[in-house]
Amino acid sequence: MARRNRIALVTAATIATIVVLAFCLLSIWNSSSLRDASSLTWGVSEGDELVYLVVIRGHRGSIDPEGGPHILEPPFLAPMNNTLVRFNVTSLPSLPLLVDGDIFAEEIINYSKTECRFENGSEVPSMFRDYINRLLYRCLLPVGDWPLLDSLYPNETENAFYPGVYLSKIYADSFYIGYLLYPLDAKISWGGNVSLTTGFPIVAEEVSNYPSVGTYLDNRLILVT
């Protein structure tokens, strides 16, 4: 009986050791792509405000049920064209100590950081507000280590099929952050040229191109003040 107990204890200890070693190796493997992000900081503060000009271009295509040519209609956001929108920084996420592309996209890029109203103080219609707001806050970035952020994503890609690819690139006077997706024969992209000082986008843009139905949309936010 004692011998069987000793064998059982040795077996249990061996299994436990293997599990611990496997966990350690897995942790090391999972963290190998993580980068130190302690140099990042927010260049803006909650309560900061900036005004952007909204520019809407393009057209929506729909199929003629009678078999005729595509019917071209104004973009959904056409009523927002040439309006001035004031964005207010309402919430900034805590910056992680370690990042990779997935962590940064989930915790920083796609975190809702702003709210918006027309420059005159009136409300942006709810049907447009979330879209316009998202176009800006996805391009609002922390500052302090642009080479780090550039290392998280490729500068360009020819393989942007589902779920799409984030892109980044350093320029002399700005930093580009964006996303590209090829759904079937279409192309969807958004991106912004970001101030190296504040992290606010100077220009933020989303382009959707669906040649098969004749749809081309180009929606932009251009910094005014």
Side-chain angles (χ1 to χ4, degrees):
M1 179 67 69
R3 184 172 179 275
R4 285 201 298 269
N5 288 340
R6 286 197 299 272
I7 293 174
L9 287 173
V10 170
T11 301
T14 301
I15 293 173
T17 301
I18 292 172
V19 169
V20 170
L21 288 174
F23 178 80
C24 291
L25 290 173
L26 183 61
S27 298
I28 293 172
W29 181 82
N30 284 336
S31 64
S32 62
S33 62
L34 295 178
R35 295 168 173 82
D36 179 9
S38 59
S39 54
L40 294 178
T41 184
W42 287 108
V44 299
S45 302
E46 294 180 5
D48 286 353
E49 295 185 340
L50 285 177
V51 176
Y52 287 79
L53 172 67
V54 181
V55 178
I56 307 298
R57 296 288 185 267
H59 46 77
R60 290 183 298 159
S62 59
I63 299 176
D64 185 346
E66 301 298 327
H70 291 158
I71 301 169
L72 299 184
E73 301 175 345
F76 171 71
L77 290 168
M80 294 293 297
N81 188 40
N82 289 327
T83 60
L84 293 175
V85 175
R86 181 180 298 276
F87 291 86
N88 177 271
V89 179
T90 55
S91 178
L92 293 172
S94 298
L95 296 173
L97 295 178
L98 297 172
V99 296
D100 60 12
D102 292 337
I103 291 173
F104 192 80
E106 179 180 355
E107 298 187 12
I108 306 300
I109 293 177
N110 293 307
Y111 184 95
S112 180
K113 312 173 189 71
T114 60
E115 293 181 355
C116 64
R117 301 175 69 88
F118 285 118
E119 197 273 339
N120 62 12
S122 60
E123 291 190 4
V124 175
S126 58
M127 66 183 72
F128 306 135
R129 185 172 57 243
D130 288 346
Y131 176 87
I132 293 293
N133 196 44
R134 185 170 60 250
L135 182 55
L136 184 104
Y137 73 64
R138 288 185 301 197
C139 298
L140 175 54
L141 302 179
V143 301
D145 195 339
W146 298 111
L148 166 65
L149 299 189
D150 185 39
S151 72
L152 298 180
Y153 310 110
N155 290 345
E156 58 186 18
T157 182
E158 296 181 356
N159 182 18
F161 300 100
Y162 184 84
V165 177
Y166 287 95
L167 303 171
S168 62
K169 188 173 183 179
I170 300 176
Y171 292 96
D173 57 353
S174 65
F175 180 85
Y176 177 80
I177 186 71
Y179 168 84
L180 179 62
L181 173 65
Y182 298 145
L184 299 179
D185 64 339
K187 179 180 179 180
I188 299 173
S189 66
W190 62 258
N193 286 90
V194 177
S195 165
L196 299 177
T197 304
T198 66
F200 263 120
I202 303 164
V203 175
E205 179 181 35
E206 180 170 89
V207 177
S208 302
N209 187 13
Y210 295 84
S212 62
V213 295
T215 291
Y216 178 81
L217 304 173
D218 185 344
N219 307 316
R220 297 187 186 186
L221 300 175
I222 302 173
L223 179 62
V224 175
T225 180

